[in-house]
Amino acid sequence: MGGMLGDVFWDLPPWLYYSPGYDLGLSVYVANPTDVDKEYALLARLSRDTTQISEEALPVFGYTWFTVEPGDVARLKGALRFSETNAVLTLLLHEKDSGEVIDSVATVLVATSSSPLPPAWPGAPVNTGSSGFDLSQMMGMILPVLILGMVASAMKHKKDETKRLEPGKEPVKQLPPGRGS
């Protein structure tokens, strides 16, 4: 979280699937909690582990620095495009007077794959070999049981419906009182 000089937020989740070369649409919110106009700049940094892949200033309305009025929030829409994935995308908020990064937000860009499962949480054991917990193996065991349960449930419901009618007999329709008398 930011602090006394400003805050930055965005609408990206903590991680998302990303294919290099495609636009990544986002909305960025920059809040000025002070009682004076503040000038800010946004930098997008892409890194992997401790290696910085790229860093670039993001122009707002064609300028590096933009002003946010006191107590106001600037909503900025745009798109970013990268030639890398499996990296951390960090958005840095610089405040002009202090010359410092005062806030940042980050998301992990994960290579698209055929797996429907999310990537391992940061700090969790890697899902390879016997050293980690592989959720896909567990799903492979549970999914057939769930499907069998759903089919059995549907069949039981259908059997109950046919049980109400005796074979060879049509249901007797009763007329409401006062008709046909």
Side-chain angles (χ1 to χ4, degrees), residues 71-114:
D72 199 8
V73 176
R75 181 178 182 203
L76 311 167
K77 288 186 173 190
L80 301 173
R81 182 182 300 174
F82 303 100
S83 59
E84 299 279 337
T85 191
N86 290 330
V88 176
L89 169 61
T90 307
L91 187 67
L92 306 166
L93 180 64
H94 282 262
E95 195 270 328
K96 191 170 188 175
D97 292 337
S98 69
E100 296 180 8
V101 173
I102 57 171
D103 197 13
S104 65
V105 289
T107 191
V108 178
L109 303 179
V110 180
T112 56
S113 67
S114 60

Short mmCIF file of all heavy atoms in Angstrom, two decimals, residues 71-114:
data_model
loop_
_atom_site.label_atom_id
_atom_site.label_comp_id
_atom_site.label_asym_id
_atom_site.label_seq_id
_atom_site.Cartn_x
_atom_site.Cartn_y
_atom_site.Cartn_z
N GLY A 71 -7.16 14.91 -2.86
CA GLY A 71 -8.29 14.07 -2.49
C GLY A 71 -8.98 13.38 -3.65
O GLY A 71 -10.06 12.83 -3.47
N ASP A 72 -8.38 13.39 -4.83
CA ASP A 72 -9.01 12.83 -6.02
C ASP A 72 -8.33 11.52 -6.42
O ASP A 72 -7.23 11.20 -5.97
CB ASP A 72 -8.93 13.84 -7.16
CG ASP A 72 -9.95 13.55 -8.26
OD1 ASP A 72 -10.82 12.67 -8.07
OD2 ASP A 72 -9.87 14.21 -9.33
N VAL A 73 -9.02 10.78 -7.29
CA VAL A 73 -8.49 9.54 -7.84
C VAL A 73 -8.54 9.64 -9.36
O VAL A 73 -9.60 9.93 -9.93
CB VAL A 73 -9.31 8.31 -7.38
CG1 VAL A 73 -8.79 7.03 -8.03
CG2 VAL A 73 -9.28 8.18 -5.87
N ALA A 74 -7.41 9.42 -10.01
CA ALA A 74 -7.36 9.41 -11.47
C ALA A 74 -7.54 7.98 -11.95
O ALA A 74 -6.85 7.07 -11.48
CB ALA A 74 -6.03 9.96 -11.96
N ARG A 75 -8.51 7.79 -12.86
CA ARG A 75 -8.74 6.47 -13.44
C ARG A 75 -8.15 6.47 -14.85
O ARG A 75 -8.57 7.26 -15.70
CB ARG A 75 -10.23 6.15 -13.50
CG ARG A 75 -10.49 4.78 -14.08
CD ARG A 75 -11.95 4.45 -14.09
NE ARG A 75 -12.14 3.12 -14.61
CZ ARG A 75 -13.26 2.68 -15.15
NH1 ARG A 75 -14.30 3.49 -15.22
NH2 ARG A 75 -13.35 1.47 -15.60
N LEU A 76 -7.19 5.58 -15.08
CA LEU A 76 -6.48 5.53 -16.34
C LEU A 76 -6.70 4.17 -16.98
O LEU A 76 -6.49 3.13 -16.34
CB LEU A 76 -4.98 5.77 -16.11
CG LEU A 76 -4.64 6.98 -15.24
CD1 LEU A 76 -3.19 6.94 -14.82
CD2 LEU A 76 -4.96 8.26 -15.99
N LYS A 77 -7.10 4.16 -18.24
CA LYS A 77 -7.29 2.90 -18.97
C LYS A 77 -6.21 2.79 -20.02
O LYS A 77 -5.80 3.79 -20.61
CB LYS A 77 -8.66 2.87 -19.65
CG LYS A 77 -9.81 2.70 -18.70
CD LYS A 77 -11.09 2.53 -19.46
CE LYS A 77 -12.22 2.19 -18.51
NZ LYS A 77 -13.41 1.79 -19.23
N GLY A 78 -5.77 1.57 -20.25
CA GLY A 78 -4.75 1.36 -21.27
C GLY A 78 -4.48 -0.11 -21.49
O GLY A 78 -5.22 -0.98 -21.01
N ALA A 79 -3.41 -0.38 -22.21
CA ALA A 79 -3.00 -1.75 -22.50
C ALA A 79 -1.48 -1.81 -22.52
O ALA A 79 -0.81 -0.86 -22.92
CB ALA A 79 -3.57 -2.21 -23.83
N LEU A 80 -0.96 -2.94 -22.09
CA LEU A 80 0.47 -3.18 -22.12
C LEU A 80 0.72 -4.42 -22.98
O LEU A 80 -0.13 -5.31 -23.06
CB LEU A 80 1.00 -3.42 -20.70
CG LEU A 80 0.79 -2.28 -19.70
CD1 LEU A 80 1.22 -2.73 -18.31
CD2 LEU A 80 1.57 -1.06 -20.13
N ARG A 81 1.89 -4.48 -23.58
CA ARG A 81 2.25 -5.63 -24.40
C ARG A 81 3.70 -5.99 -24.09
O ARG A 81 4.56 -5.11 -24.04
CB ARG A 81 2.10 -5.31 -25.89
CG ARG A 81 2.40 -6.50 -26.78
CD ARG A 81 2.29 -6.15 -28.23
NE ARG A 81 0.92 -5.71 -28.51
CZ ARG A 81 0.54 -5.22 -29.68
NH1 ARG A 81 1.40 -5.07 -30.65
NH2 ARG A 81 -0.70 -4.86 -29.86
N PHE A 82 3.94 -7.28 -23.90
CA PHE A 82 5.28 -7.74 -23.56
C PHE A 82 5.69 -8.89 -24.48
O PHE A 82 4.84 -9.60 -25.01
CB PHE A 82 5.33 -8.22 -22.10
CG PHE A 82 4.91 -7.18 -21.12
CD1 PHE A 82 3.63 -7.17 -20.58
CD2 PHE A 82 5.79 -6.16 -20.76
CE1 PHE A 82 3.24 -6.20 -19.69
CE2 PHE A 82 5.40 -5.18 -19.86
CZ PHE A 82 4.13 -5.20 -19.33
N SER A 83 6.98 -9.07 -24.62
CA SER A 83 7.51 -10.18 -25.42
C SER A 83 7.93 -11.34 -24.52
O SER A 83 8.51 -12.31 -24.98
CB SER A 83 8.69 -9.72 -26.27
OG SER A 83 9.71 -9.21 -25.43
N GLU A 84 7.65 -11.22 -23.22
CA GLU A 84 8.02 -12.24 -22.24
C GLU A 84 6.80 -12.66 -21.44
O GLU A 84 5.82 -11.92 -21.34
CB GLU A 84 9.06 -11.68 -21.25
CG GLU A 84 10.36 -11.24 -21.87
CD GLU A 84 11.31 -12.38 -22.12
OE1 GLU A 84 11.19 -13.43 -21.46
OE2 GLU A 84 12.18 -12.22 -22.99
N THR A 85 6.89 -13.85 -20.85
CA THR A 85 5.89 -14.32 -19.89
C THR A 85 6.62 -15.10 -18.81
O THR A 85 7.85 -15.13 -18.81
CB THR A 85 4.79 -15.15 -20.59
OG1 THR A 85 3.71 -15.34 -19.67
CG2 THR A 85 5.30 -16.46 -21.12
N ASN A 86 5.90 -15.68 -17.89
CA ASN A 86 6.51 -16.31 -16.71
C ASN A 86 7.40 -15.29 -16.00
O ASN A 86 8.57 -15.54 -15.72
CB ASN A 86 7.29 -17.57 -17.06
CG ASN A 86 6.37 -18.69 -17.48
OD1 ASN A 86 5.24 -18.78 -17.02
ND2 ASN A 86 6.85 -19.55 -18.36
N ALA A 87 6.81 -14.14 -15.75
CA ALA A 87 7.54 -13.03 -15.12
C ALA A 87 6.58 -12.25 -14.23
O ALA A 87 5.37 -12.41 -14.30
CB ALA A 87 8.14 -12.12 -16.18
N VAL A 88 7.15 -11.37 -13.41
CA VAL A 88 6.35 -10.52 -12.53
C VAL A 88 6.25 -9.13 -13.16
O VAL A 88 7.27 -8.52 -13.49
CB VAL A 88 6.99 -10.41 -11.13
CG1 VAL A 88 6.21 -9.45 -10.25
CG2 VAL A 88 7.07 -11.78 -10.48
N LEU A 89 5.03 -8.66 -13.33
CA LEU A 89 4.77 -7.31 -13.83
C LEU A 89 4.48 -6.43 -12.63
O LEU A 89 3.56 -6.68 -11.86
CB LEU A 89 3.58 -7.30 -14.79
CG LEU A 89 3.05 -5.93 -15.19
CD1 LEU A 89 4.11 -5.11 -15.91
CD2 LEU A 89 1.80 -6.09 -16.03
N THR A 90 5.31 -5.40 -12.46
CA THR A 90 5.14 -4.46 -11.34
C THR A 90 4.90 -3.07 -11.89
O THR A 90 5.60 -2.63 -12.81
CB THR A 90 6.40 -4.44 -10.45
OG1 THR A 90 6.71 -5.77 -10.05
CG2 THR A 90 6.18 -3.58 -9.22
N LEU A 91 3.90 -2.39 -11.36
CA LEU A 91 3.61 -1.02 -11.74
C LEU A 91 4.06 -0.14 -10.57
O LEU A 91 3.58 -0.29 -9.44
CB LEU A 91 2.11 -0.83 -12.00
CG LEU A 91 1.69 0.52 -12.55
CD1 LEU A 91 2.24 0.70 -13.97
CD2 LEU A 91 0.19 0.64 -12.55
N LEU A 92 4.99 0.76 -10.86
CA LEU A 92 5.58 1.63 -9.83
C LEU A 92 5.00 3.03 -9.94
O LEU A 92 4.91 3.58 -11.05
CB LEU A 92 7.10 1.69 -10.00
CG LEU A 92 7.82 0.35 -10.04
CD1 LEU A 92 9.23 0.52 -10.55
CD2 LEU A 92 7.80 -0.29 -8.68
N LEU A 93 4.64 3.63 -8.82
CA LEU A 93 4.13 5.00 -8.78
C LEU A 93 5.23 5.90 -8.22
O LEU A 93 5.66 5.73 -7.07
CB LEU A 93 2.88 5.10 -7.90
CG LEU A 93 2.25 6.48 -7.78
CD1 LEU A 93 1.72 6.97 -9.13
CD2 LEU A 93 1.13 6.46 -6.75
N HIS A 94 5.70 6.85 -9.04
CA HIS A 94 6.72 7.83 -8.62
C HIS A 94 6.02 9.14 -8.30
O HIS A 94 5.12 9.57 -9.02
CB HIS A 94 7.71 8.10 -9.77
CG HIS A 94 8.73 7.03 -9.93
ND1 HIS A 94 9.99 7.13 -9.41
CD2 HIS A 94 8.68 5.84 -10.57
CE1 HIS A 94 10.67 6.05 -9.72
NE2 HIS A 94 9.90 5.24 -10.42
N GLU A 95 6.48 9.78 -7.24
CA GLU A 95 5.98 11.10 -6.88
C GLU A 95 7.09 12.09 -7.20
O GLU A 95 8.25 11.88 -6.86
CB GLU A 95 5.63 11.12 -5.39
CG GLU A 95 4.77 12.30 -4.97
CD GLU A 95 5.61 13.49 -4.55
OE1 GLU A 95 6.70 13.28 -4.02
OE2 GLU A 95 5.18 14.63 -4.78
N LYS A 96 6.76 13.17 -7.91
CA LYS A 96 7.76 14.08 -8.47
C LYS A 96 8.55 14.84 -7.40
O LYS A 96 9.77 14.93 -7.48
CB LYS A 96 7.11 15.07 -9.44
CG LYS A 96 8.12 15.85 -10.25
CD LYS A 96 7.45 16.64 -11.34
CE LYS A 96 8.48 17.25 -12.27
NZ LYS A 96 7.86 17.93 -13.41
N ASP A 97 7.88 15.41 -6.40
CA ASP A 97 8.56 16.24 -5.40
C ASP A 97 9.59 15.44 -4.60
O ASP A 97 10.70 15.91 -4.35
CB ASP A 97 7.56 16.89 -4.45
CG ASP A 97 6.71 17.94 -5.16
OD1 ASP A 97 7.15 18.46 -6.20
OD2 ASP A 97 5.60 18.22 -4.67
N SER A 98 9.23 14.23 -4.21
CA SER A 98 10.16 13.42 -3.41
C SER A 98 11.15 12.67 -4.30
O SER A 98 12.21 12.27 -3.83
CB SER A 98 9.39 12.42 -2.55
OG SER A 98 8.79 11.43 -3.36
N GLY A 99 10.77 12.45 -5.56
CA GLY A 99 11.63 11.70 -6.47
C GLY A 99 11.72 10.22 -6.14
O GLY A 99 12.64 9.54 -6.59
N GLU A 100 10.78 9.72 -5.38
CA GLU A 100 10.82 8.34 -4.94
C GLU A 100 9.62 7.54 -5.43
O GLU A 100 8.59 8.10 -5.77
CB GLU A 100 10.82 8.29 -3.41
CG GLU A 100 12.04 8.91 -2.78
CD GLU A 100 11.97 8.84 -1.26
OE1 GLU A 100 11.06 8.19 -0.70
OE2 GLU A 100 12.85 9.46 -0.62
N VAL A 101 9.81 6.22 -5.45
CA VAL A 101 8.69 5.30 -5.69
C VAL A 101 7.90 5.27 -4.38
O VAL A 101 8.45 4.92 -3.34
CB VAL A 101 9.18 3.89 -6.07
CG1 VAL A 101 8.02 2.93 -6.14
CG2 VAL A 101 9.94 3.92 -7.37
N ILE A 102 6.63 5.64 -4.45
CA ILE A 102 5.85 5.72 -3.21
C ILE A 102 4.86 4.57 -3.06
O ILE A 102 4.33 4.34 -1.98
CB ILE A 102 5.10 7.07 -3.11
CG1 ILE A 102 4.21 7.28 -4.32
CG2 ILE A 102 6.11 8.20 -2.92
CD1 ILE A 102 3.28 8.46 -4.20
N ASP A 103 4.59 3.85 -4.17
CA ASP A 103 3.67 2.72 -4.10
C ASP A 103 3.88 1.85 -5.32
O ASP A 103 4.44 2.29 -6.33
CB ASP A 103 2.22 3.22 -4.02
CG ASP A 103 1.25 2.14 -3.52
OD1 ASP A 103 1.70 1.10 -3.00
OD2 ASP A 103 0.03 2.33 -3.67
N SER A 104 3.41 0.61 -5.23
CA SER A 104 3.51 -0.30 -6.38
C SER A 104 2.45 -1.39 -6.26
O SER A 104 1.95 -1.66 -5.16
CB SER A 104 4.90 -0.92 -6.46
OG SER A 104 5.13 -1.75 -5.35
N VAL A 105 2.14 -1.99 -7.38
CA VAL A 105 1.26 -3.16 -7.45
C VAL A 105 1.93 -4.15 -8.40
O VAL A 105 2.70 -3.75 -9.27
CB VAL A 105 -0.16 -2.81 -7.94
CG1 VAL A 105 -0.93 -2.04 -6.89
CG2 VAL A 105 -0.14 -2.07 -9.25
N ALA A 106 1.62 -5.44 -8.21
CA ALA A 106 2.28 -6.45 -9.04
C ALA A 106 1.32 -7.60 -9.35
O ALA A 106 0.38 -7.86 -8.60
CB ALA A 106 3.51 -6.98 -8.33
N THR A 107 1.59 -8.27 -10.47
CA THR A 107 0.89 -9.49 -10.85
C THR A 107 1.88 -10.41 -11.54
O THR A 107 2.87 -9.94 -12.12
CB THR A 107 -0.33 -9.19 -11.76
OG1 THR A 107 -1.12 -10.36 -11.88
CG2 THR A 107 0.09 -8.73 -13.12
N VAL A 108 1.63 -11.69 -11.47
CA VAL A 108 2.50 -12.67 -12.11
C VAL A 108 1.89 -13.04 -13.46
O VAL A 108 0.72 -13.42 -13.54
CB VAL A 108 2.65 -13.94 -11.23
CG1 VAL A 108 3.52 -14.98 -11.92
CG2 VAL A 108 3.21 -13.58 -9.87
N LEU A 109 2.67 -12.92 -14.51
CA LEU A 109 2.25 -13.31 -15.85
C LEU A 109 2.70 -14.75 -16.06
O LEU A 109 3.90 -15.05 -16.02
CB LEU A 109 2.87 -12.41 -16.91
CG LEU A 109 2.58 -10.91 -16.77
CD1 LEU A 109 3.28 -10.14 -17.88
CD2 LEU A 109 1.10 -10.64 -16.77
N VAL A 110 1.75 -15.65 -16.27
CA VAL A 110 2.03 -17.07 -16.39
C VAL A 110 1.79 -17.50 -17.84
O VAL A 110 0.78 -17.11 -18.44
CB VAL A 110 1.11 -17.88 -15.44
CG1 VAL A 110 1.37 -19.36 -15.55
CG2 VAL A 110 1.28 -17.41 -14.02
N ALA A 111 2.70 -18.31 -18.38
CA ALA A 111 2.54 -18.82 -19.74
C ALA A 111 1.26 -19.64 -19.83
O ALA A 111 0.93 -20.40 -18.92
CB ALA A 111 3.74 -19.66 -20.14
N THR A 112 0.54 -19.47 -20.92
CA THR A 112 -0.68 -20.25 -21.12
C THR A 112 -0.29 -21.71 -21.30
O THR A 112 0.74 -22.03 -21.87
CB THR A 112 -1.47 -19.77 -22.35
OG1 THR A 112 -0.62 -19.82 -23.48
CG2 THR A 112 -2.00 -18.38 -22.15
N SER A 113 -1.14 -22.59 -20.78
CA SER A 113 -0.88 -24.02 -20.89
C SER A 113 -2.21 -24.74 -21.02
O SER A 113 -3.27 -24.14 -20.93
CB SER A 113 -0.13 -24.52 -19.65
OG SER A 113 -0.96 -24.42 -18.52
N SER A 114 -2.14 -26.02 -21.20
CA SER A 114 -3.37 -26.79 -21.32
C SER A 114 -3.95 -27.16 -19.96
O SER A 114 -5.02 -27.71 -19.88
CB SER A 114 -3.10 -28.06 -22.14
OG SER A 114 -2.12 -28.84 -21.47
#
